[in-house]
Amino acid sequence: MITAMRRRLDGHKYSLIGHQRESEVQLWRRKHYILLIILIAFAGLAAVFVLGSYGAETCDTVAHGFRCNTETSHYWGKPFAVVSCVLVWLLIARVGQYSPYFSVPSEIPSDVPEGCSITFAQILSRHGARDPTESKTEDYNATIQKIQANVKDFKGKYAFLADYEYTLGADQLTTFGQQELINSGINFYNRYQDLTQVVVPFVRASGEDRVVESAMNWTQGFTDSKMADPQARHGSKAYPTINVIIEEADYGVNNTLNHAFCTEFENGTDSTIADGAQETWTNIFAKPIRQRLNAHLPGARLTLQETIYVMDLCPFNTVASPTGDLSPFCNLFTTEEWHQYNYYETLDKWYGYSYGNPLGPTQGVGFTNELIARLTNKPVQDETSTNHTLDDNPKTFPLGRKLYADFSHDNDMTAIFAALGLYNGTAQFPNTTVVEPRNANGYSAAWTVPFAARAYVEKMTCSGHGPELVRVIVNDRVQPLTQCGGDSLGRCTLSKFVASLGFARSGGNWDQCFV
């Protein structure tokens, strides 16, 4: 299977990026303010090029992810014409977890701080863009068939529906999603080049096909970058491969990269909290959208759920295009409605797997304790979701490595972020009005777990600082780490960072999984 996957990846094209470092927060902000002024001045000139360059080379970039139609792809709303592609610093992403990966705005510069050297880097990544799940693809197809069977007159921006053919698959990576992970591997290699030139990351993947394939795509991007680097150390063992694939099952398998073991969380009262929050919000935001769709599609008689299905078809059809061409489904909805849709997805993540669910953060405790072991070079101390057969074996869970890469899912990453104490200053989200990520400490489904989401945990030594420092970056947004006294660059000492993870180290309420 792995050999077949790798053959499918042949022929991808990409260009290497440089690695630029800046020193101070003030200098970083001043630099981008000046850049913003220049971009505004030349927006008219840029239009000539942008309107004709929505291809793969300009839309999905190695350094910053998806950058074309950002008012649409980060909101899933109407195109913002030229300005959206040029003035990227002005755009605030508000899209759900079906967004292509994009670089999230950060109040702290994400460059490696001046005078610092990275000594350890861990990436935790979501798989790349995929087709809908099997159950959803059936629902989407049925919705399209219902519309086409009952509507006799398709006009204006709805005209494409008359001949639209549903061709989306189920569960597998798209070509676009494969490239997202290749780009991620390139980016990781370049960001940590002082390490990647000489050492190889230890790679694990959860067992779902799309996750394993994403890990392979990532190693390809890393490997091709290293092979093109004349300063790198080469040889038969100089390139990464997938070292461990952890089995996934509906229940009963210990896997820190895929939840399925905590029965109260999976099947108890906590398992319906997110559904309730989404249902309340759906009854508020989706009713006027349904009314408009049914008015323009006489005879469709769409339900509220089918209305959301039509919205879902915007991102899924977009990432089904190898170059991320914008789907006409996207233009059926306003920018405000895409904000509301993003909030619908944010409620699902928050109340399903984060602080809004009593057992949400618990699902991320096992990985957090594995991370502590890697950071401190000490054996894993955990009795939750870790697989001791793997973690107690230095061949399948080695310590003392400088680079690690793990590949997982959006829900599991959401739980891990909560177990790590990220976004812990965010208030509980109301289910009756939109709260934007800027007002929620940077939290939304889009800003945290888009397709190909990536979180970096860095350990560094810095001149003028004695102990090693730790920093966490989620989709290029530096986390302030207030829980351990983070400084102006988002850094805590290693000891304070580990001390702040008391929830995970004490078991994270795992005993409540089996009441």
Side-chain angles (χ1 to χ4, degrees), residues 153-366:
D153 191 14
F154 296 91
K155 295 181 179 179
K157 59 187 177 183
Y158 300 89
F160 78 95
L161 287 169
D163 301 316
Y164 172 77
E165 182 180 357
Y166 188 88
T167 58
L168 299 178
D171 291 309
Q172 298 305 308
L173 286 187
T174 65
T175 300
F176 182 90
Q178 293 174 348
Q179 188 64 50
E180 285 185 301
L181 268 295
I182 292 173
N183 290 348
S184 179
I186 297 168
N187 189 75
F188 186 89
Y189 182 86
N190 288 327
R191 178 176 179 82
Y192 303 112
Q193 199 162 6
D194 289 346
L195 293 177
T196 56
Q197 286 181 331
V198 295
V199 298
V200 179
F202 186 84
V203 180
R204 299 188 305 174
S206 196
E208 187 80 26
D209 285 351
R210 62 179 178 268
V211 180
V212 175
E213 186 174 354
S214 292
M216 290 185 59
N217 299 143
W218 187 89
T219 61
Q220 178 184 336
F222 184 105
T223 295
D224 290 349
S225 295
K226 190 168 188 176
M227 291 180 69
D229 183 356
Q231 303 301 319
R233 181 181 299 171
H234 301 285
S236 60
K237 297 182 179 181
Y239 309 107
T241 186
I242 302 176
N243 301 102
V244 175
I245 297 175
I246 308 176
E247 179 185 358
E248 289 190 17
D250 292 335
Y251 175 71
V253 175
N254 287 53
N255 183 345
T256 57
L257 301 174
N258 182 65
H259 69 90
F261 198 64
C262 176
T263 54
E264 178 61 23
F265 176 78
E266 302 294 338
N267 305 310
T269 55
D270 292 341
S271 65
T272 62
I273 295 174
D275 293 338
Q278 284 190 300
E279 181 179 3
T280 300
W281 178 237
T282 298
N283 285 322
I284 294 172
F285 94 92
K287 284 184 175 180
I289 301 176
R290 178 186 64 176
Q291 182 178 2
R292 186 183 71 250
L293 291 180
N294 284 333
H296 286 282
L297 297 169
R301 296 186 296 277
L302 294 172
T303 66
L304 288 177
Q305 187 59 65
E306 289 167 340
T307 298
I308 292 176
Y309 289 162
V310 176
M311 299 186 83
D312 290 344
L313 287 171
C314 162
F316 279 116
N317 277 279
T318 297
V319 300
S321 164
T323 55
D325 295 337
L326 191 68
S327 166
F329 279 100
C330 303
N331 289 325
L332 300 182
F333 308 95
T334 68
T335 297
E336 181 181 6
E337 288 164 353
W338 287 119
H339 283 241
Q340 295 167 341
Y341 171 85
N342 173 59
Y343 195 64
Y344 170 83
E345 301 294 359
T346 296
L347 290 174
D348 178 56
K349 295 305 171 209
W350 184 264
Y351 288 103
Y353 300 91
S354 189
Y355 299 109
N357 189 303
L359 287 175
T362 302
Q363 310 314 303
V365 165

Side-chain angles (χ1 to χ4, degrees), residues 53-113:
S53 60
Y54 279 4
E57 292 185 359
T58 56
C59 285
D60 192 31
T61 65
V62 172
H64 301 295
F66 201 77
R67 282 305 183 191
C68 286
N69 296 308
T70 49
E71 184 72 7
T72 300
S73 63
H74 298 182
Y75 291 72
W76 294 117
K78 291 183 178 180
F80 201 63
V82 176
V83 179
S84 70
C85 290
V86 179
L87 304 182
V88 296
W89 294 102
L90 287 179
L91 300 175
I92 303 173
R94 319 263 205 274
V95 74
Q97 68 273 16
Y98 302 140
S99 168
Y101 172 81
F102 62 96
S103 181
V104 173
S106 180
E107 297 172 358
I108 301 171
S110 60
D111 298 331
V112 177

Side-chain angles (χ1 to χ4, degrees), residues 119-120 199-200 202 373-379 394 397-404 459:
T119 60
F120 170 102
V199 298
V200 179
F202 186 84
R374 289 171 169 176
L375 287 168
T376 60
N377 198 24
K378 295 179 180 179
F397 195 85
L399 298 175
R401 304 287 284 263
K402 296 181 182 296
L403 299 175
Y404 294 92
K459 193 163 61 169

